PDB file of all heavy atoms in Angstrom:
ATOM      1  N   ARG A   1       0.842  -1.187   0.000  1.00 76.00           N
ATOM      2  CA  ARG A   1       0.000   0.000   0.000  1.00 76.00           C
ATOM      3  C   ARG A   1       0.883   1.245   0.000  1.00 76.00           C
ATOM      4  O   ARG A   1       1.981   1.252   0.557  1.00 76.00           O
ATOM      5  CB  ARG A   1      -0.917  -0.002   1.227  1.00 76.00           C
ATOM      6  CG  ARG A   1      -1.935  -1.139   1.200  1.00 76.00           C
ATOM      7  CD  ARG A   1      -2.797  -1.121   2.449  1.00 76.00           C
ATOM      8  NE  ARG A   1      -3.719  -2.250   2.487  1.00 76.00           N
ATOM      9  CZ  ARG A   1      -4.951  -2.224   1.974  1.00 76.00           C
ATOM     10  NH1 ARG A   1      -5.395  -1.133   1.390  1.00 76.00           N
ATOM     11  NH2 ARG A   1      -5.718  -3.285   2.042  1.00 76.00           N
ATOM     12  N   LEU A   2       0.356   2.321  -0.600  1.00 84.00           N
ATOM     13  CA  LEU A   2       1.140   3.543  -0.729  1.00 84.00           C
ATOM     14  C   LEU A   2       1.556   4.082   0.634  1.00 84.00           C
ATOM     15  O   LEU A   2       2.688   4.546   0.816  1.00 84.00           O
ATOM     16  CB  LEU A   2       0.337   4.599  -1.490  1.00 84.00           C
ATOM     17  CG  LEU A   2       1.020   5.960  -1.683  1.00 84.00           C
ATOM     18  CD1 LEU A   2       2.315   5.801  -2.463  1.00 84.00           C
ATOM     19  CD2 LEU A   2       0.092   6.939  -2.373  1.00 84.00           C
ATOM     20  N   GLY A   3       0.646   4.011   1.608  1.00 81.00           N
ATOM     21  CA  GLY A   3       0.976   4.500   2.942  1.00 81.00           C
ATOM     22  C   GLY A   3       2.163   3.788   3.543  1.00 81.00           C
ATOM     23  O   GLY A   3       3.034   4.416   4.160  1.00 81.00           O
ATOM     24  N   GLN A   4       2.232   2.462   3.375  1.00 78.00           N
ATOM     25  CA  GLN A   4       3.356   1.705   3.903  1.00 78.00           C
ATOM     26  C   GLN A   4       4.666   2.081   3.219  1.00 78.00           C
ATOM     27  O   GLN A   4       5.715   2.143   3.857  1.00 78.00           O
ATOM     28  CB  GLN A   4       3.093   0.197   3.737  1.00 78.00           C
ATOM     29  CG  GLN A   4       1.971  -0.325   4.606  1.00 78.00           C
ATOM     30  CD  GLN A   4       2.245  -0.097   6.079  1.00 78.00           C
ATOM     31  OE1 GLN A   4       3.329  -0.368   6.573  1.00 78.00           O
ATOM     32  NE2 GLN A   4       1.245   0.422   6.791  1.00 78.00           N
ATOM     33  N   VAL A   5       4.602   2.342   1.917  1.00 82.00           N
ATOM     34  CA  VAL A   5       5.801   2.771   1.195  1.00 82.00           C
ATOM     35  C   VAL A   5       6.293   4.107   1.728  1.00 82.00           C
ATOM     36  O   VAL A   5       7.489   4.307   1.967  1.00 82.00           O
ATOM     37  CB  VAL A   5       5.516   2.858  -0.317  1.00 82.00           C
ATOM     38  CG1 VAL A   5       6.725   3.426  -1.065  1.00 82.00           C
ATOM     39  CG2 VAL A   5       5.162   1.484  -0.877  1.00 82.00           C
ATOM     40  N   LEU A   6       5.364   5.040   1.933  1.00 85.00           N
ATOM     41  CA  LEU A   6       5.744   6.367   2.435  1.00 85.00           C
ATOM     42  C   LEU A   6       6.341   6.286   3.830  1.00 85.00           C
ATOM     43  O   LEU A   6       7.299   6.995   4.155  1.00 85.00           O
ATOM     44  CB  LEU A   6       4.516   7.275   2.436  1.00 85.00           C
ATOM     45  CG  LEU A   6       3.942   7.623   1.057  1.00 85.00           C
ATOM     46  CD1 LEU A   6       2.594   8.317   1.197  1.00 85.00           C
ATOM     47  CD2 LEU A   6       4.907   8.503   0.278  1.00 85.00           C
ATOM     48  N   LEU A   7       5.763   5.422   4.683  1.00 81.00           N
ATOM     49  CA  LEU A   7       6.320   5.238   6.025  1.00 81.00           C
ATOM     50  C   LEU A   7       7.717   4.661   5.959  1.00 81.00           C
ATOM     51  O   LEU A   7       8.633   5.102   6.660  1.00 81.00           O
ATOM     52  CB  LEU A   7       5.415   4.313   6.844  1.00 81.00           C
ATOM     53  CG  LEU A   7       4.086   4.886   7.351  1.00 81.00           C
ATOM     54  CD1 LEU A   7       3.264   3.791   8.013  1.00 81.00           C
ATOM     55  CD2 LEU A   7       4.340   6.015   8.334  1.00 81.00           C
ATOM     56  N   ARG A   8       7.890   3.640   5.118  1.00 78.00           N
ATOM     57  CA  ARG A   8       9.177   2.967   5.012  1.00 78.00           C
ATOM     58  C   ARG A   8      10.266   3.923   4.529  1.00 78.00           C
ATOM     59  O   ARG A   8      11.418   3.835   4.953  1.00 78.00           O
ATOM     60  CB  ARG A   8       9.039   1.772   4.076  1.00 78.00           C
ATOM     61  CG  ARG A   8      10.254   0.885   4.015  1.00 78.00           C
ATOM     62  CD  ARG A   8       9.924  -0.457   3.402  1.00 78.00           C
ATOM     63  NE  ARG A   8       9.419  -0.367   2.045  1.00 78.00           N
ATOM     64  CZ  ARG A   8       8.220  -0.801   1.663  1.00 78.00           C
ATOM     65  NH1 ARG A   8       7.388  -1.339   2.526  1.00 78.00           N
ATOM     66  NH2 ARG A   8       7.834  -0.700   0.401  1.00 78.00           N
ATOM     67  N   LYS A   9       9.887   4.840   3.655  1.00 80.00           N
ATOM     68  CA  LYS A   9      10.858   5.783   3.118  1.00 80.00           C
ATOM     69  C   LYS A   9      11.046   6.995   4.028  1.00 80.00           C
ATOM     70  O   LYS A   9      11.871   7.864   3.744  1.00 80.00           O
ATOM     71  CB  LYS A   9      10.416   6.247   1.719  1.00 80.00           C
ATOM     72  CG  LYS A   9      10.343   5.120   0.694  1.00 80.00           C
ATOM     73  CD  LYS A   9       9.813   5.598  -0.638  1.00 80.00           C
ATOM     74  CE  LYS A   9      10.875   6.341  -1.416  1.00 80.00           C
ATOM     75  NZ  LYS A   9      12.001   5.497  -1.813  1.00 80.00           N
ATOM     76  N   GLY A  10      10.287   7.040   5.124  1.00 81.00           N
ATOM     77  CA  GLY A  10      10.438   8.135   6.066  1.00 81.00           C
ATOM     78  C   GLY A  10       9.902   9.461   5.555  1.00 81.00           C
ATOM     79  O   GLY A  10      10.281  10.529   6.055  1.00 81.00           O
ATOM     80  N   LEU A  11       8.989   9.425   4.577  1.00 83.00           N
ATOM     81  CA  LEU A  11       8.455  10.658   4.008  1.00 83.00           C
ATOM     82  C   LEU A  11       7.308  11.232   4.816  1.00 83.00           C
ATOM     83  O   LEU A  11       6.903  12.382   4.590  1.00 83.00           O
ATOM     84  CB  LEU A  11       7.996  10.399   2.558  1.00 83.00           C
ATOM     85  CG  LEU A  11       9.103   9.980   1.591  1.00 83.00           C
ATOM     86  CD1 LEU A  11       8.535   9.656   0.224  1.00 83.00           C
ATOM     87  CD2 LEU A  11      10.152  11.085   1.480  1.00 83.00           C
ATOM     88  N   ILE A  12       6.751  10.442   5.735  1.00 83.00           N
ATOM     89  CA  ILE A  12       5.638  10.909   6.538  1.00 83.00           C
ATOM     90  C   ILE A  12       5.631  10.129   7.848  1.00 83.00           C
ATOM     91  O   ILE A  12       6.071   8.977   7.901  1.00 83.00           O
ATOM     92  CB  ILE A  12       4.289  10.726   5.788  1.00 83.00           C
ATOM     93  CG1 ILE A  12       3.156  11.435   6.527  1.00 83.00           C
ATOM     94  CG2 ILE A  12       3.978   9.256   5.568  1.00 83.00           C
ATOM     95  CD1 ILE A  12       1.862  11.467   5.739  1.00 83.00           C
ATOM     96  N   LYS A  13       5.169  10.755   8.917  1.00 82.00           N
ATOM     97  CA  LYS A  13       5.038  10.090  10.202  1.00 82.00           C
ATOM     98  C   LYS A  13       3.740   9.290  10.242  1.00 82.00           C
ATOM     99  O   LYS A  13       2.765   9.629   9.568  1.00 82.00           O
ATOM    100  CB  LYS A  13       5.042  11.118  11.339  1.00 82.00           C
ATOM    101  CG  LYS A  13       6.319  11.925  11.452  1.00 82.00           C
ATOM    102  CD  LYS A  13       7.458  11.096  11.983  1.00 82.00           C
ATOM    103  CE  LYS A  13       8.694  11.954  12.246  1.00 82.00           C
ATOM    104  NZ  LYS A  13       9.831  11.151  12.739  1.00 82.00           N
ATOM    105  N   GLU A  14       3.733   8.226  11.057  1.00 78.00           N
ATOM    106  CA  GLU A  14       2.554   7.369  11.109  1.00 78.00           C
ATOM    107  C   GLU A  14       1.324   8.126  11.605  1.00 78.00           C
ATOM    108  O   GLU A  14       0.211   7.924  11.106  1.00 78.00           O
ATOM    109  CB  GLU A  14       2.813   6.157  12.006  1.00 78.00           C
ATOM    110  CG  GLU A  14       1.692   5.136  11.949  1.00 78.00           C
ATOM    111  CD  GLU A  14       2.028   3.854  12.683  1.00 78.00           C
ATOM    112  OE1 GLU A  14       2.713   3.933  13.714  1.00 78.00           O
ATOM    113  OE2 GLU A  14       1.593   2.792  12.230  1.00 78.00           O
ATOM    114  N   GLU A  15       1.500   9.028  12.597  1.00 77.00           N
ATOM    115  CA  GLU A  15       0.364   9.795  13.108  1.00 77.00           C
ATOM    116  C   GLU A  15      -0.211  10.693  12.023  1.00 77.00           C
ATOM    117  O   GLU A  15      -1.437  10.832  11.899  1.00 77.00           O
ATOM    118  CB  GLU A  15       0.792  10.646  14.312  1.00 77.00           C
ATOM    119  CG  GLU A  15       1.222   9.840  15.533  1.00 77.00           C
ATOM    120  CD  GLU A  15       2.633   9.290  15.404  1.00 77.00           C
ATOM    121  OE1 GLU A  15       3.329   9.645  14.419  1.00 77.00           O
ATOM    122  OE2 GLU A  15       3.038   8.494  16.269  1.00 77.00           O
ATOM    123  N   GLU A  16       0.661  11.310  11.209  1.00 79.00           N
ATOM    124  CA  GLU A  16       0.203  12.157  10.112  1.00 79.00           C
ATOM    125  C   GLU A  16      -0.554  11.338   9.075  1.00 79.00           C
ATOM    126  O   GLU A  16      -1.611  11.755   8.584  1.00 79.00           O
ATOM    127  CB  GLU A  16       1.392  12.843   9.450  1.00 79.00           C
ATOM    128  CG  GLU A  16       2.144  13.811  10.338  1.00 79.00           C
ATOM    129  CD  GLU A  16       3.375  14.369   9.651  1.00 79.00           C
ATOM    130  OE1 GLU A  16       4.138  13.573   9.070  1.00 79.00           O
ATOM    131  OE2 GLU A  16       3.557  15.578   9.685  1.00 79.00           O
ATOM    132  N   LEU A  17      -0.016  10.170   8.746  1.00 82.00           N
ATOM    133  CA  LEU A  17      -0.664   9.316   7.755  1.00 82.00           C
ATOM    134  C   LEU A  17      -2.054   8.897   8.230  1.00 82.00           C
ATOM    135  O   LEU A  17      -3.020   8.927   7.466  1.00 82.00           O
ATOM    136  CB  LEU A  17       0.195   8.083   7.494  1.00 82.00           C
ATOM    137  CG  LEU A  17      -0.416   7.040   6.537  1.00 82.00           C
ATOM    138  CD1 LEU A  17      -0.627   7.641   5.147  1.00 82.00           C
ATOM    139  CD2 LEU A  17       0.467   5.803   6.447  1.00 82.00           C
ATOM    140  N   ALA A  18      -2.158   8.519   9.511  1.00 79.00           N
ATOM    141  CA  ALA A  18      -3.445   8.085  10.042  1.00 79.00           C
ATOM    142  C   ALA A  18      -4.483   9.198   9.944  1.00 79.00           C
ATOM    143  O   ALA A  18      -5.637   8.971   9.561  1.00 79.00           O
ATOM    144  CB  ALA A  18      -3.289   7.627  11.486  1.00 79.00           C
ATOM    145  N   GLN A  19      -4.084  10.425  10.270  1.00 80.00           N
ATOM    146  CA  GLN A  19      -5.029  11.533  10.222  1.00 80.00           C
ATOM    147  C   GLN A  19      -5.458  11.847   8.791  1.00 80.00           C
ATOM    148  O   GLN A  19      -6.632  12.114   8.522  1.00 80.00           O
ATOM    149  CB  GLN A  19      -4.410  12.777  10.866  1.00 80.00           C
ATOM    150  CG  GLN A  19      -5.393  13.934  11.043  1.00 80.00           C
ATOM    151  CD  GLN A  19      -6.588  13.534  11.884  1.00 80.00           C
ATOM    152  OE1 GLN A  19      -6.448  13.192  13.056  1.00 80.00           O
ATOM    153  NE2 GLN A  19      -7.779  13.577  11.296  1.00 80.00           N
ATOM    154  N   VAL A  20      -4.502  11.817   7.852  1.00 81.00           N
ATOM    155  CA  VAL A  20      -4.831  12.087   6.451  1.00 81.00           C
ATOM    156  C   VAL A  20      -5.756  10.999   5.907  1.00 81.00           C
ATOM    157  O   VAL A  20      -6.705  11.281   5.172  1.00 81.00           O
ATOM    158  CB  VAL A  20      -3.546  12.194   5.606  1.00 81.00           C
ATOM    159  CG1 VAL A  20      -3.876  12.283   4.119  1.00 81.00           C
ATOM    160  CG2 VAL A  20      -2.737  13.415   6.036  1.00 81.00           C
ATOM    161  N   LEU A  21      -5.483   9.736   6.263  1.00 80.00           N
ATOM    162  CA  LEU A  21      -6.362   8.643   5.825  1.00 80.00           C
ATOM    163  C   LEU A  21      -7.766   8.823   6.389  1.00 80.00           C
ATOM    164  O   LEU A  21      -8.763   8.563   5.699  1.00 80.00           O
ATOM    165  CB  LEU A  21      -5.781   7.295   6.270  1.00 80.00           C
ATOM    166  CG  LEU A  21      -4.586   6.768   5.478  1.00 80.00           C
ATOM    167  CD1 LEU A  21      -3.992   5.544   6.164  1.00 80.00           C
ATOM    168  CD2 LEU A  21      -4.987   6.417   4.050  1.00 80.00           C
ATOM    169  N   ALA A  22      -7.845   9.270   7.645  1.00 78.00           N
ATOM    170  CA  ALA A  22      -9.157   9.500   8.250  1.00 78.00           C
ATOM    171  C   ALA A  22      -9.912  10.578   7.496  1.00 78.00           C
ATOM    172  O   ALA A  22     -11.121  10.446   7.222  1.00 78.00           O
ATOM    173  CB  ALA A  22      -8.982   9.886   9.717  1.00 78.00           C
ATOM    174  N   ASP A  23      -9.235  11.651   7.139  1.00 75.00           N
ATOM    175  CA  ASP A  23      -9.872  12.725   6.374  1.00 75.00           C
ATOM    176  C   ASP A  23     -10.287  12.244   4.988  1.00 75.00           C
ATOM    177  O   ASP A  23     -11.376  12.562   4.499  1.00 75.00           O
ATOM    178  CB  ASP A  23      -8.920  13.915   6.249  1.00 75.00           C
ATOM    179  CG  ASP A  23      -8.624  14.561   7.596  1.00 75.00           C
ATOM    180  OD1 ASP A  23      -9.417  14.354   8.532  1.00 75.00           O
ATOM    181  OD2 ASP A  23      -7.586  15.246   7.714  1.00 75.00           O
ATOM    182  N   GLN A  24      -9.387  11.465   4.346  1.00 75.00           N
ATOM    183  CA  GLN A  24      -9.662  10.997   2.987  1.00 75.00           C
ATOM    184  C   GLN A  24     -10.861  10.065   2.949  1.00 75.00           C
ATOM    185  O   GLN A  24     -11.699  10.148   2.053  1.00 75.00           O
ATOM    186  CB  GLN A  24      -8.425  10.282   2.430  1.00 75.00           C
ATOM    187  CG  GLN A  24      -8.620   9.744   1.010  1.00 75.00           C
ATOM    188  CD  GLN A  24      -7.783   8.504   0.741  1.00 75.00           C
ATOM    189  OE1 GLN A  24      -7.453   7.759   1.669  1.00 75.00           O
ATOM    190  NE2 GLN A  24      -7.449   8.266  -0.512  1.00 75.00           N
ATOM    191  N   GLN A  25     -10.935   9.160   3.932  1.00 73.00           N
ATOM    192  CA  GLN A  25     -11.972   8.131   3.928  1.00 73.00           C
ATOM    193  C   GLN A  25     -13.193   8.520   4.760  1.00 73.00           C
ATOM    194  O   GLN A  25     -14.113   7.722   4.918  1.00 73.00           O
ATOM    195  CB  GLN A  25     -11.379   6.819   4.455  1.00 73.00           C
ATOM    196  CG  GLN A  25     -10.216   6.310   3.632  1.00 73.00           C
ATOM    197  CD  GLN A  25      -9.537   5.092   4.240  1.00 73.00           C
ATOM    198  OE1 GLN A  25     -10.089   4.430   5.109  1.00 73.00           O
ATOM    199  NE2 GLN A  25      -8.325   4.788   3.769  1.00 73.00           N
ATOM    200  N   HIS A  26     -13.173   9.743   5.294  1.00 74.00           N
ATOM    201  CA  HIS A  26     -14.273  10.205   6.148  1.00 74.00           C
ATOM    202  C   HIS A  26     -14.522   9.190   7.264  1.00 74.00           C
ATOM    203  O   HIS A  26     -15.660   8.860   7.594  1.00 74.00           O
ATOM    204  CB  HIS A  26     -15.557  10.410   5.327  1.00 74.00           C
ATOM    205  CG  HIS A  26     -15.355  11.296   4.133  1.00 74.00           C
ATOM    206  ND1 HIS A  26     -15.120  12.655   4.231  1.00 74.00           N
ATOM    207  CD2 HIS A  26     -15.336  11.011   2.798  1.00 74.00           C
ATOM    208  CE1 HIS A  26     -14.969  13.167   3.023  1.00 74.00           C
ATOM    209  NE2 HIS A  26     -15.089  12.193   2.140  1.00 74.00           N
ATOM    210  N   ALA A  27     -13.418   8.698   7.840  1.00 76.00           N
ATOM    211  CA  ALA A  27     -13.495   7.670   8.882  1.00 76.00           C
ATOM    212  C   ALA A  27     -13.095   8.276  10.223  1.00 76.00           C
ATOM    213  O   ALA A  27     -12.318   9.226  10.290  1.00 76.00           O
ATOM    214  CB  ALA A  27     -12.575   6.505   8.546  1.00 76.00           C
ATOM    215  N   GLU A  28     -13.639   7.697  11.285  1.00 85.00           N
ATOM    216  CA  GLU A  28     -13.273   8.130  12.622  1.00 85.00           C
ATOM    217  C   GLU A  28     -11.941   7.508  13.011  1.00 85.00           C
ATOM    218  O   GLU A  28     -11.738   6.303  12.863  1.00 85.00           O
ATOM    219  CB  GLU A  28     -14.354   7.729  13.628  1.00 85.00           C
ATOM    220  CG  GLU A  28     -14.042   8.166  15.052  1.00 85.00           C
ATOM    221  CD  GLU A  28     -15.065   7.689  16.051  1.00 85.00           C
ATOM    222  OE1 GLU A  28     -16.139   7.214  15.624  1.00 85.00           O
ATOM    223  OE2 GLU A  28     -14.794   7.782  17.264  1.00 85.00           O
ATOM    224  N   LEU A  29     -11.041   8.341  13.527  1.00 88.00           N
ATOM    225  CA  LEU A  29      -9.721   7.868  13.939  1.00 88.00           C
ATOM    226  C   LEU A  29      -9.745   7.529  15.419  1.00 88.00           C
ATOM    227  O   LEU A  29     -10.136   8.358  16.244  1.00 88.00           O
ATOM    228  CB  LEU A  29      -8.667   8.943  13.670  1.00 88.00           C
ATOM    229  CG  LEU A  29      -7.235   8.633  14.119  1.00 88.00           C
ATOM    230  CD1 LEU A  29      -6.680   7.445  13.362  1.00 88.00           C
ATOM    231  CD2 LEU A  29      -6.341   9.860  13.932  1.00 88.00           C
ATOM    232  N   VAL A  30      -9.337   6.307  15.768  1.00 90.00           N
ATOM    233  CA  VAL A  30      -9.252   5.900  17.168  1.00 90.00           C
ATOM    234  C   VAL A  30      -7.812   5.516  17.470  1.00 90.00           C
ATOM    235  O   VAL A  30      -7.054   5.152  16.575  1.00 90.00           O
ATOM    236  CB  VAL A  30     -10.192   4.721  17.484  1.00 90.00           C
ATOM    237  CG1 VAL A  30     -11.644   5.111  17.276  1.00 90.00           C
ATOM    238  CG2 VAL A  30      -9.838   3.488  16.647  1.00 90.00           C
ATOM    239  N   ARG A  31      -7.436   5.602  18.742  1.00 89.00           N
ATOM    240  CA  ARG A  31      -6.089   5.229  19.168  1.00 89.00           C
ATOM    241  C   ARG A  31      -6.198   3.986  20.027  1.00 89.00           C
ATOM    242  O   ARG A  31      -6.675   4.044  21.171  1.00 89.00           O
ATOM    243  CB  ARG A  31      -5.437   6.366  19.956  1.00 89.00           C
ATOM    244  CG  ARG A  31      -5.393   7.693  19.219  1.00 89.00           C
ATOM    245  CD  ARG A  31      -4.778   7.567  17.836  1.00 89.00           C
ATOM    246  NE  ARG A  31      -3.406   7.177  17.857  1.00 89.00           N
ATOM    247  CZ  ARG A  31      -2.391   8.019  17.724  1.00 89.00           C
ATOM    248  NH1 ARG A  31      -2.621   9.318  17.561  1.00 89.00           N
ATOM    249  NH2 ARG A  31      -1.143   7.583  17.734  1.00 89.00           N
ATOM    250  N   PRO A  32      -5.805   2.824  19.518  1.00 89.00           N
ATOM    251  CA  PRO A  32      -5.961   1.557  20.247  1.00 89.00           C
ATOM    252  C   PRO A  32      -5.417   1.569  21.666  1.00 89.00           C
ATOM    253  O   PRO A  32      -5.995   0.943  22.558  1.00 89.00           O
ATOM    254  CB  PRO A  32      -5.201   0.573  19.360  1.00 89.00           C
ATOM    255  CG  PRO A  32      -5.351   1.131  17.988  1.00 89.00           C
ATOM    256  CD  PRO A  32      -5.275   2.623  18.174  1.00 89.00           C
ATOM    257  N   LYS A  33      -4.301   2.271  21.895  1.00 87.00           N
ATOM    258  CA  LYS A  33      -3.716   2.277  23.240  1.00 87.00           C
ATOM    259  C   LYS A  33      -4.595   3.004  24.254  1.00 87.00           C
ATOM    260  O   LYS A  33      -4.414   2.859  25.458  1.00 87.00           O
ATOM    261  CB  LYS A  33      -2.316   2.908  23.197  1.00 87.00           C
ATOM    262  CG  LYS A  33      -1.293   2.034  22.476  1.00 87.00           C
ATOM    263  CD  LYS A  33       0.114   2.544  22.651  1.00 87.00           C
ATOM    264  CE  LYS A  33       0.355   3.809  21.887  1.00 87.00           C
ATOM    265  NZ  LYS A  33       1.800   4.212  21.924  1.00 87.00           N
ATOM    266  N   GLN A  34      -5.554   3.806  23.759  1.00 88.00           N
ATOM    267  CA  GLN A  34      -6.452   4.537  24.643  1.00 88.00           C
ATOM    268  C   GLN A  34      -7.819   3.876  24.775  1.00 88.00           C
ATOM    269  O   GLN A  34      -8.682   4.372  25.495  1.00 88.00           O
ATOM    270  CB  GLN A  34      -6.617   5.972  24.135  1.00 88.00           C
ATOM    271  CG  GLN A  34      -5.309   6.750  24.053  1.00 88.00           C
ATOM    272  CD  GLN A  34      -5.459   8.077  23.347  1.00 88.00           C
ATOM    273  OE1 GLN A  34      -6.566   8.495  23.027  1.00 88.00           O
ATOM    274  NE2 GLN A  34      -4.331   8.754  23.101  1.00 88.00           N
ATOM    275  N   LEU A  35      -8.026   2.780  24.067  1.00 90.00           N
ATOM    276  CA  LEU A  35      -9.322   2.106  24.085  1.00 90.00           C
ATOM    277  C   LEU A  35      -9.417   1.116  25.239  1.00 90.00           C
ATOM    278  O   LEU A  35      -8.417   0.525  25.660  1.00 90.00           O
ATOM    279  CB  LEU A  35      -9.545   1.346  22.764  1.00 90.00           C
ATOM    280  CG  LEU A  35      -9.681   2.187  21.490  1.00 90.00           C
ATOM    281  CD1 LEU A  35      -9.714   1.260  20.272  1.00 90.00           C
ATOM    282  CD2 LEU A  35     -10.928   3.051  21.536  1.00 90.00           C
ATOM    283  N   GLU A  36     -10.615   0.928  25.724  1.00 91.00           N
ATOM    284  CA  GLU A  36     -10.886  -0.139  26.682  1.00 91.00           C
ATOM    285  C   GLU A  36     -11.309  -1.370  25.889  1.00 91.00           C
ATOM    286  O   GLU A  36     -12.345  -1.369  25.228  1.00 91.00           O
ATOM    287  CB  GLU A  36     -11.996   0.278  27.654  1.00 91.00           C
ATOM    288  CG  GLU A  36     -12.269  -0.763  28.735  1.00 91.00           C
ATOM    289  CD  GLU A  36     -13.301  -0.306  29.738  1.00 91.00           C
ATOM    290  OE1 GLU A  36     -13.591   0.907  29.791  1.00 91.00           O
ATOM    291  OE2 GLU A  36     -13.825  -1.179  30.467  1.00 91.00           O
ATOM    292  N   ILE A  37     -10.485  -2.402  25.912  1.00 92.00           N
ATOM    293  CA  ILE A  37     -10.707  -3.579  25.071  1.00 92.00           C
ATOM    294  C   ILE A  37     -11.636  -4.567  25.779  1.00 92.00           C
ATOM    295  O   ILE A  37     -11.360  -4.988  26.912  1.00 92.00           O
ATOM    296  CB  ILE A  37      -9.371  -4.271  24.725  1.00 92.00           C
ATOM    297  CG1 ILE A  37      -8.371  -3.252  24.169  1.00 92.00           C
ATOM    298  CG2 ILE A  37      -9.611  -5.407  23.735  1.00 92.00           C
ATOM    299  CD1 ILE A  37      -8.816  -2.560  22.904  1.00 92.00           C
TER     300      ILE A  37
END
């Protein structure tokens, strides 16, 4: 996936990618480490 390529090449931070993907897909962004499982 393009996002994985960009991360691997260090062109974008993972937090930035997650937020942009959320905006692109009109999806709600959650942080697993803050969730009650």
Side-chain angles (χ1 to χ4, degrees):
R1 294 179 184 270
L2 179 60
Q4 292 301 313
V5 175
L6 294 170
L7 286 174
R8 187 164 60 240
K9 298 176 77 65
L11 297 176
I12 190 171
K13 298 288 187 181
E14 188 172 35
E15 295 78 7
E16 296 175 313
L17 176 62
Q19 188 58 63
V20 172
L21 284 171
D23 295 340
Q24 180 210 27
Q25 300 174 17
H26 307 290
E28 181 184 348
L29 177 64
V30 297
R31 305 308 296 261
K33 290 190 289 187
Q34 301 171 7
L35 294 173
E36 183 176 344
I37 309 299

